[in-house]
């Protein structure tokens, strides 16, 4: 699924046994040393039970001692559209089919956009769970994940995964597509929206007690120059979202098509199975013929 959604980008590939067999300790240490000797690109956030007086000596010893180096910027290689398509795999030793349906699109990395995307993810999960589990009785659980990549070109990917009886995989996959289409056209119904909004408010309230949440928020806000005091108002902002806001977010962030579908079924070698990696679309070109 990762290979399909990334268009085969080597930076997106999962680590596996082959990667670790080829890894070289000396090269890894050299790479680590090269990265840590340049502190100009670091953003460090520290959260926990401490006072500034107690932590200052540790910051001076372990952080302030790093060489500043030069500021670096990632190279923007341009967004590459990944064609939608259907891919069938088989695996021995599994009894149920597992289907993943996903899409990837460009992202303007603002705090409002990321918040809206998280709401869209929650709305998709609630809507499809109601349709696939409660109405169709086809699966126990629908897992919807959101991944964002802010390294240029910034993009986001939403993936819907579920298990089912092999004979029902196609019907449930079509129900997912219909559910996404309905959300894009009409948005969520009021009951689903209120439940999602209330859950997000509770989630922010709960996470505000967690150090990892504060480190993540402080880091991202500092990185993009967003207001730090706004972190403390996330729960309030989530509660102020209207149904109209949710409908606009669904229309904006759920695409019309170009979905990737990967289904793994029980069995041996699949007859006529297609390759997992879809063809990549070339990046757009400028008027002079050069890639952008």
């Amino acid at each position: 699924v990762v290979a399909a959604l990334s268009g085969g980008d080597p930076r997106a590939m999962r680590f596996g046994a082959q990667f670790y067999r080829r890894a070289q300790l000396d090269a890894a240490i050299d790479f680590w040393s090269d990265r840590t000797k340049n502190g100009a690109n670091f953003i460090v956030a520290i959260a926990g039970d401490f006072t500034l007086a107690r932590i200052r000596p540790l910051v001076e010893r372990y952080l302030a001692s790093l060489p500043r180096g030069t500021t670096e910027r990632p190279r923007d290689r341009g967004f590459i559209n990944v064609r939608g398509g259907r891919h069938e795999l088989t695996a021995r030793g599994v009894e149920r089919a597992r289907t993943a349906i996903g899409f990837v699109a460009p992202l303007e990395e603002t705090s409002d956009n990321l918040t809206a995307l998280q709401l869209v993810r929650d709305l998709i999960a609630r809507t499809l769970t109601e349709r696939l589990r409660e109405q169709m009785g086809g699966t126990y659980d629908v897992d919807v994940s959101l991944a964002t990549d802010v390294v240029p070109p910034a993009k986001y990917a939403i993936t819907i995964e579920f298990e089912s009886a092999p004979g029902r995989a196609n019907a449930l996959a079509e129900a997912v597509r219909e559910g996404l289409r309905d959300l894009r056209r009409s948005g969520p119904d009021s009951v689903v929206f209120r439940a999602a909004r209330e859950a997000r408010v509770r989630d922010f309230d709960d996470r505000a007690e967690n150090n990892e949440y504060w480190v993540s928020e402080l880091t991202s806000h500092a990185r993009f120059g967003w207001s730090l005091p706004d972190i403390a108002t996330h729960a309030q902002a989530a509660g102020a979202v209207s149904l109209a806001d949710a409908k606009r977010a669904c229309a904006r962030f759920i695409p019309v098509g170009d979905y990737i579908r990967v289904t793994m079924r029980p069995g041996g070698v699949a007859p006529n199975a297609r390759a997992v990696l879809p063809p990549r679309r070339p990046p757009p070109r400028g008027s002079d013929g050069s890639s952008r």
Side-chain angles (χ1 to χ4, degrees), residues 36-40 42 44 60-69:
T36 55
K37 73 181 181 182
N38 181 6
F42 288 5
V44 180
E60 291 175 341
R61 178 175 181 178
Y62 294 107
L63 295 178
S65 60
L66 294 173
R68 177 166 178 79

Side-chain angles (χ1 to χ4, degrees), residues 8 11 29 32 37-38 41 53 83 113 120 128 145 165 169-170 179 187 193 210 242 249 254 257 262 274:
R11 290 182 178 269
I29 292 177
W32 173 261
K37 73 181 181 182
N38 181 6
N41 304 287
R83 294 185 188 277
N113 281 349
V120 169
L128 295 182
S145 60
N170 289 341
F193 164 69
N210 189 297
S242 67
I254 299 177
V262 180
R274 294 193 229 174

Side-chain angles (χ1 to χ4, degrees), residues 15-254:
F15 293 158
Q18 182 180 7
F19 171 86
Y20 288 110
R21 280 195 293 267
R22 287 167 31 190
Q24 298 178 353
L25 180 60
D26 290 344
I29 292 177
D30 288 344
F31 181 84
W32 173 261
S33 299
D34 180 72
R35 295 294 79 203
T36 55
K37 73 181 181 182
N38 181 6
N41 304 287
F42 288 5
I43 294 176
V44 180
I46 304 174
D49 183 12
F50 58 82
T51 64
L52 294 180
R54 288 177 57 193
I55 203 170
R56 183 181 179 91
L58 301 176
V59 172
E60 291 175 341
R61 178 175 181 178
Y62 294 107
L63 295 178
S65 60
L66 294 173
R68 177 166 178 79
T70 58
T71 302
E72 299 172 338
R73 292 287 182 267
R75 185 176 60 212
D76 188 344
R77 297 177 296 166
F79 181 80
I80 297 178
N81 289 320
V82 179
R83 294 185 188 277
R86 176 177 168 181
H87 312 281
E88 298 282 343
L89 306 172
T90 59
R92 301 181 188 276
V94 299
E95 297 180 355
R96 295 175 63 80
R98 184 162 188 86
T99 301
I101 297 174
F103 55 86
V104 60
L107 171 67
E108 182 183 357
E109 58 272 28
T110 68
S111 181
D112 289 342
N113 281 349
L114 293 178
T115 300
L117 268 172
Q118 291 164 355
L119 175 60
V120 169
R121 185 266 319 275
D122 295 347
L123 293 171
I124 291 175
R126 289 178 179 273
T127 299
L128 295 182
T129 297
E130 171 67 22
R131 182 169 299 198
L132 272 63
R133 185 177 69 184
E134 305 300 335
Q135 297 178 10
M136 301 179 66
T139 185
Y140 292 110
D141 189 35
V142 179
D143 180 37
V144 181
S145 60
L146 166 67
T148 58
D149 185 359
V150 297
V151 175
K155 54 186 175 292
Y156 69 94
I158 293 180
T159 308
I160 301 106
E161 298 185 64
F162 58 89
E163 289 187 345
S164 68
R168 300 200 65 186
N170 289 341
L172 294 173
E174 183 58 31
V176 168
R177 292 179 63 90
E178 292 175 356
L180 292 173
R181 181 193 61 202
D182 293 345
L183 275 173
R184 186 181 187 280
R185 289 178 177 177
S186 307
D189 65 45
S190 59
V191 175
V192 168
F193 164 69
R194 285 196 299 268
R197 182 176 62 182
E198 292 170 3
R200 287 201 56 75
V201 173
R202 289 195 303 270
D203 184 53
F204 277 123
D205 287 338
D206 292 342
R207 287 193 295 164
E209 305 296 324
N210 189 297
N211 288 334
E212 292 182 0
Y213 168 75
W214 283 97
V215 167
S216 174
E217 289 293 319
L218 287 168
T219 301
S220 59
H221 279 247
R223 179 177 186 177
F224 296 115
W226 302 338
S227 168
L228 296 181
D230 283 353
I231 300 174
T233 66
H234 283 341
Q236 179 181 354
V241 173
S242 67
L243 179 58
D245 295 331
K247 291 182 178 181
R248 283 191 292 268
C250 288
R252 179 178 180 185
F253 292 110
I254 299 177

Side-chain angles (χ1 to χ4, degrees), residues 254-270:
I254 299 177
V256 176
D258 257 1
Y259 298 147
I260 296 287
R261 173 183 164 187
V262 180
T263 302
M264 183 175 67
R265 302 176 186 271
V269 177

